[in-house]
Amino acid sequence: MAIHKIILASFIVYLMIQFSHGATKERLFSDLEKDALDVTAKPSRQGVLDAGIDKLSITWKLRSTAKKQANFTTIKVKLCYAPVSQVDRPWRKTENELFKDKTCPHKIITRAYNKSSQSFKYTLDRDIPTGTYFVRTYAVDAKDHEVAFGQSTSEAKPTKLFSVQAISGRHKSLDIASVCFSVFSVLALLVFFVNEKRKAKLEQSK
Amino acid sequence: MASNEEGSIGTSLHGVTAKEHVFSFSADASSQVVPSNDPTSKFALPVDSEHRAKVFNPLSFAKPHMRAFHLGWISFFTCFISTFAAAPLVPIIRDNLDLTKTDIGNAGVASVSGAIFSRLAMGAVCDLLGARYGTAFSLMLTAPMVFTMSFATGPVGYLAVRFMIGFCLATFVSCQYWTSVMFNGKIIGLVNGCAGGWGDMGGGVTQLLMPMVFHVIKLAGATPFMAWRIAFFVPGFLQVVMGILVLTFGQDLPDGNLSTLQKSGQVSKDKFSKVFWFAVKNYRTWILFVLYGFSMGIELTINNVISGYFFDRFNLKLQTAGIVAASFGMANFFARPFGGYASDVAARLFGMRGRLWILWIFQTVGALFCIWLGRANSLPIAILAMILFSIGTQAACGALFGVAPFVSRRSLGLISGLTGAGGNFGSGLTQLLFFSTSRFSTAEGLSLMGAMAVLCTLPVAFIHFPQWGSMFLRPSRDGERSKEEYYYSSEWTEDEKRQGLHEGSIKFAENSRSERSRKIALADFPTQETGSQTVV
């Protein structure tokens, strides 16, 4: 019963913290200024990129048509899933409410806003999963709220996407250890079994 | 037989309250007086004529009884850890192996499907080789499968490995078999409730253990995609260790190991075809099959989906989601024994009808809270709904095994095995229907599963015993059919009855008069206890 009393108490505390945050209007993706920044992401080579090895050359700069640039304080550059990588994977779903949206979970870099053209050479992280991606930059204001964005692909028909192949996570030492332990397990069982049969036979023959 | 005191004959707490004379109901005089060569005096706990313990002392590790209990439930616990080890790590695995929701759902179905067959086979294995080897086979032959997880590179490999690991859930049968030969029938309800409940806790512990192990390995420098593979070595290693402990310190039967005892012909066997036929012919077996599918079945399903649900829906960190998910499985520690105890209390007051009502109430209430869980939009409400759901469903599991021993005396072992398989079947079915496609979100799936469980619990109203009645009907008024002896001897043919093979069933029938309601039992003459019965 004790562990349940603890959980009950902690959820009551949680409830109070939740209520104390006060009601906030949910910020929506559709409210952001579209195409405020020109973003390009060039892979270091053709074909499917390898996570942990290949690089992306990312550049971004303010577009002349942008309106809200007075509010920009920081630029957050993120790696996002293309629609084809979101099929049958609800944990990568695109939602209009910004806090629920899971399209762009991988952070590339965060930099202070600068009017001139910026660039960054990004080496794909080793925990990037296999999939098809594009790059999006969010312009964030002083309150850490997104106000505008730009992306390396077009919205209607996704173009200029690039594919990444994840690392396998396997390693020869792991494979060897796995085989050794497995063999030990089966052998130990056989040894016990054979031994006991032999002892029982000896008992019987006495 | 009419006594309603706590600890009286016919309750699962007989022998535990420490108020009864433990030696006063021995079968034969030789075990009453204590000569210097009395075989029962070498046991640490008081035993009956078959050398089964009459007292349950969970704090002791004395051989052979309590040692068997602890080795049994810890082995079962370890297997639960391995079977559901992947579930809390799915958010990492799905990125490494590029899995879709369908892949994850199918692997979840596969993880519980293997045990449908292995649980059925385990009864026979225990009969042939003894409970120790049944347990050890299950542990040590599936340990390589756990290690093989490090080789998986895609959905097919992932599914195949989870399917193979799932076979080890057969330890449920070997554990219950082992306790049934070690403990007297009066207390077997409580003992099995504890062994089953504490073993099931493994499904909760794994949700805590695996994210923690994963985190520690990551801190040691491994990338996430390698760390989860290394993490799988922990449950595999535990299985091997437990297998060796079982073989070294365990003992098949109170008097020794099976191989030594088989020579003296102490182990007699019934014909399997007969046992099978009477189990399958009895419609109550199939109702229990469905019922367990929607209590243990949805519990197994939740073990697979709940951690990912909290991770995705409420954006918790992996370890936090694991802690929340773990509290579901941990409730088993007291919820399942409580269900068995409540069933015993209801039986004392209302007989078998009480047991059936308790089973229906717990299972339906649990299912209703499952519906609520799917609809909860905030984290605190979801946690509250989940905890209430876990208590209801797990108590229902315990209550069901308060009914099962009375369905058949001859085929009890097989009915336990079939019921256990029903649990896995229900889990496979619910995962396939509600959690393998993108048709329903996980939240919708949870509510639908709860609704289906409410519907599939209704058949308990159809379980009718002519001697005790059912939820809505009274016992039969026919003079002959209203006797327990009639019900239990109907499992034997006339030929077999002439040979006297049904004697054990008659003894069991006399003792099962405790399942009559208070009113009827008081009108009866108390009968003499003629000996313990085997509940295997």
Side-chain angles (χ1 to χ4, degrees):
Chain A
M1 267 306 181
I3 189 169
H4 282 238
K5 284 205 186 119
I6 294 172
I7 292 183
L8 209 60
S10 57
F11 107 78
I12 291 175
V13 172
Y14 210 131
L15 250 179
M16 300 202 281
I17 296 175
Q18 286 234 336
F19 287 151
S20 68
H21 273 169
T24 46
K25 176 175 172 277
E26 305 303 358
R27 292 175 291 121
L28 301 173
F29 184 73
S30 46
D31 290 339
L32 301 183
E33 190 187 340
K34 274 170 48 167
D35 297 325
L37 298 141
D38 262 328
V39 183
T40 55
K42 232 173 58 160
S44 58
R45 63 181 182 88
Q46 290 281 14
V48 179
L49 305 171
D50 286 320
I53 302 172
D54 288 322
K55 300 192 204 321
L56 281 176
S57 257
I58 306 171
T59 57
W60 63 95
K61 86 174 176 113
L62 185 71
R63 215 185 250 194
S64 46
T65 50
K67 297 184 207 89
K68 296 191 193 160
Q69 75 266 40
N71 295 335
F72 296 2
T73 33
T74 342
I75 301 289
K76 289 187 183 169
V77 187
K78 292 192 179 171
L79 195 62
C80 310
Y81 293 110
V84 63
S85 282
Q86 290 174 304
V87 171
D88 203 13
R89 292 182 170 90
W91 56 90
R92 294 182 185 170
K93 203 158 158 218
T94 301
E95 300 266 7
N96 203 9
E97 284 140 317
L98 281 170
F99 80 98
K100 272 195 200 170
D101 185 34
K102 306 254 175 77
T103 325
C104 305
H106 305 287
K107 298 197 179 72
I108 296 177
I109 187 140
T110 302
R111 260 199 210 159
Y113 167 65
N114 195 310
K115 257 202 297 214
S116 58
S117 173
Q118 300 288 303
S119 71
F120 178 66
K121 237 184 156 88
Y122 170 60
T123 311
L124 292 161
D125 278 334
R126 292 178 77 194
D127 61 354
I128 302 286
T130 303
T132 312
Y133 297 85
F134 62 94
V135 173
R136 181 182 288 169
T137 55
Y138 284 104
V140 171
D141 69 10
K143 278 187 279 170
D144 205 28
H145 290 173
E146 290 86 351
V147 277
F149 72 93
Q151 51 196 26
S152 66
T153 181
S154 62
E155 196 162 321
K157 211 177 9 170
T159 52
K160 302 203 195 126
L161 302 169
F162 52 91
S163 291
V164 177
Q165 174 66 40
I167 62 167
S168 77
R170 287 181 56 187
H171 197 265
K172 216 198 266 187
S173 58
L174 264 187
D175 295 346
I176 296 175
S178 168
V179 170
C180 286
F181 275 112
S182 307
V183 167
F184 171 73
S185 178
V186 177
L187 268 184
L189 181 67
L190 274 174
V191 163
F192 270 99
F193 194 68
V194 166
N195 242 353
E196 251 184 64
K197 286 275 168 195
R198 207 187 305 158
K199 267 197 224 153
K201 267 206 197 123
L202 285 173
E203 281 279 325
Q204 204 187 18
S205 64
K206 276 198 194 145
Chain B
M1 201 54 79
S3 169
N4 288 309
E5 280 169 47
E6 196 185 276
S8 61
I9 305 162
T11 69
S12 65
L13 284 193
H14 178 72
V16 182
T17 59
K19 289 188 227 154
E20 49 281 318
H21 298 291
V22 288
F23 286 118
S24 55
F25 292 107
S26 310
D28 51 330
S30 64
S31 56
Q32 275 198 353
V33 186
V34 188
S36 54
N37 55 357
D38 172 21
T40 66
S41 63
K42 68 175 190 267
F43 295 113
L45 297 172
V47 295
D48 62 15
S49 60
E50 286 170 294
H51 297 170
R52 296 177 195 218
K54 300 209 280 189
V55 166
F56 175 55
N57 182 5
L59 297 174
S60 142
F61 279 82
K63 67 186 260 182
H65 310 100
M66 289 316 305
R67 213 175 269 193
F69 170 78
H70 287 296
L71 287 171
W73 82 259
I74 296 179
S75 305
F76 183 39
F77 176 84
T78 311
C79 287
F80 249 86
I81 291 185
S82 303
T83 306
F84 296 105
L89 296 178
V90 158
I92 311 292
I93 302 177
R94 68 190 177 198
D95 279 344
N96 188 191
L97 304 181
D98 200 22
L99 305 175
T100 61
K101 183 170 181 184
T102 312
D103 293 329
I104 296 172
N106 288 340
V109 174
S111 69
V112 296
S113 309
I116 295 177
F117 309 104
S118 64
R119 280 185 173 189
L120 291 175
M122 183 51 86
V125 171
C126 287
D127 272 334
L128 288 171
L129 298 173
R132 272 187 328 141
Y133 275 107
T135 312
F137 267 53
S138 187
L139 285 168
M140 294 170 92
L141 291 181
T142 51
M145 312 307 161
V146 181
F147 295 123
T148 312
M149 190 55 106
S150 66
F151 288 103
T153 46
V156 173
Y158 177 65
L159 186 140
V161 173
R162 284 208 76 184
F163 176 68
M164 304 289 266
I165 296 178
F167 278 97
C168 71
L169 284 182
T171 33
F172 169 70
V173 175
S174 66
C175 170
Q176 305 263 294
Y177 183 101
W178 209 359
T179 50
S180 300
V181 302
M182 286 287 180
F183 291 89
N184 180 278
K186 303 292 186 301
I187 54 170
I188 196 61
L190 182 65
V191 174
N192 276 344
C194 286
W198 296 355
D200 289 346
M201 262 202 321
V205 166
T206 197
Q207 318 272 358
L208 269 179
L209 179 71
M210 295 306 285
M212 265 201 308
V213 170
F214 170 73
H215 189 68
V216 165
I217 296 173
K218 259 202 319 181
L219 287 178
T223 58
F225 289 175
M226 198 157 113
W228 75 267
R229 295 165 190 274
I230 302 176
F232 262 81
F233 277 74
V234 171
F237 183 69
L238 283 175
Q239 273 188 233
V240 176
V241 166
M242 273 319 295
I244 295 179
L245 285 178
V246 162
L247 290 173
T248 324
F249 294 110
Q251 196 175 300
D252 289 317
L253 297 162
D255 292 320
N257 281 323
L258 192 67
S259 42
T260 4
L261 294 178
Q262 260 171 344
K263 311 304 176 192
S264 44
Q266 283 190 28
V267 183
S268 60
K269 269 156 53 181
D270 197 350
K271 270 222 295 257
F272 178 74
S273 55
K274 284 284 168 70
V275 168
F276 186 76
W277 173 242
F278 283 110
V280 163
K281 202 171 74 139
N282 194 333
Y283 75 93
R284 299 171 193 84
T285 308
W286 300 106
I287 298 184
L288 288 185
F289 182 92
V290 170
L291 282 171
Y292 203 53
F294 286 91
S295 56
M296 174 52 84
I298 56 178
E299 191 185 324
L300 294 176
T301 299
I302 293 285
N303 279 337
N304 262 334
V305 308
I306 196 74
S307 181
Y309 176 67
F310 278 102
F311 181 86
D312 287 332
R313 181 139 191 228
F314 299 103
N315 292 313
L316 300 180
K317 289 215 300 275
L318 202 71
Q319 287 99 288
T320 319
I323 293 174
V324 172
S327 57
F328 177 86
M330 303 279 246
N332 261 304
F333 181 74
F334 70 91
R336 187 166 172 148
F338 167 70
Y341 175 70
S343 183
D344 286 343
V345 169
R348 240 178 283 149
L349 297 171
F350 304 109
M352 175 55 73
R353 299 177 79 181
R355 288 194 194 268
L356 295 169
W357 272 102
I358 282 281
L359 173 55
W360 180 82
I361 290 171
F362 279 143
Q363 196 154 323
T364 306
V365 164
L368 290 173
F369 282 122
C370 183
I371 300 177
W372 191 28
L373 170 63
R375 300 182 69 106
N377 281 318
S378 73
L379 183 64
I381 304 284
I383 295 180
L384 178 65
M386 186 194 71
I387 290 177
L388 293 170
F389 161 40
S390 70
I391 296 175
T393 305
Q394 287 156 12
C397 292
L400 190 142
F401 277 92
V403 173
F406 295 100
V407 167
S408 163
R409 161 64 180 78
R410 189 172 186 183
S411 314
L412 175 64
L414 194 61
I415 287 181
S416 295
L418 274 170
T419 308
N424 285 68
F425 176 78
S427 178
L429 183 68
T430 48
Q431 285 183 81
L432 196 63
L433 287 175
F434 304 123
F435 300 102
S436 298
T437 60
S438 290
R439 193 157 163 224
F440 310 115
S441 67
T442 309
E444 286 167 354
L446 286 169
S447 296
L448 286 170
M449 183 171 75
M452 188 173 181
V454 172
L455 282 174
C456 292
T457 307
L458 294 173
V460 72
F462 295 113
I463 297 185
H464 178 83
F465 292 93
Q467 68 274 28
W468 300 317
S470 64
M471 273 170 77
F472 296 107
L473 297 173
R474 299 183 166 268
S476 164
R477 256 167 274 203
D478 179 74
E480 208 194 310
R481 286 168 65 84
S482 65
K483 290 218 182 68
E484 287 80 1
E485 283 81 357
Y486 177 79
Y487 179 79
Y488 289 109
S489 33
S490 62
E491 292 181 317
W492 302 86
T493 62
E494 285 308 319
D495 232 353
E496 288 162 336
K497 281 194 224 179
R498 246 176 277 133
Q499 293 175 54
L501 292 171
H502 69 310
E503 291 293 321
S505 287
I506 299 292
K507 281 191 211 162
F508 182 76
E510 284 169 2
N511 289 314
S512 69
R513 270 186 220 157
S514 54
E515 298 307 306
R516 296 190 184 185
S517 69
R518 223 184 193 176
K519 281 191 292 188
I520 301 174
L522 281 171
D524 227 18
F525 283 94
T527 51
Q528 202 164 24
E529 157 81 277
T530 45
S532 64
Q533 51 285 329
T534 52
V535 186
V536 174

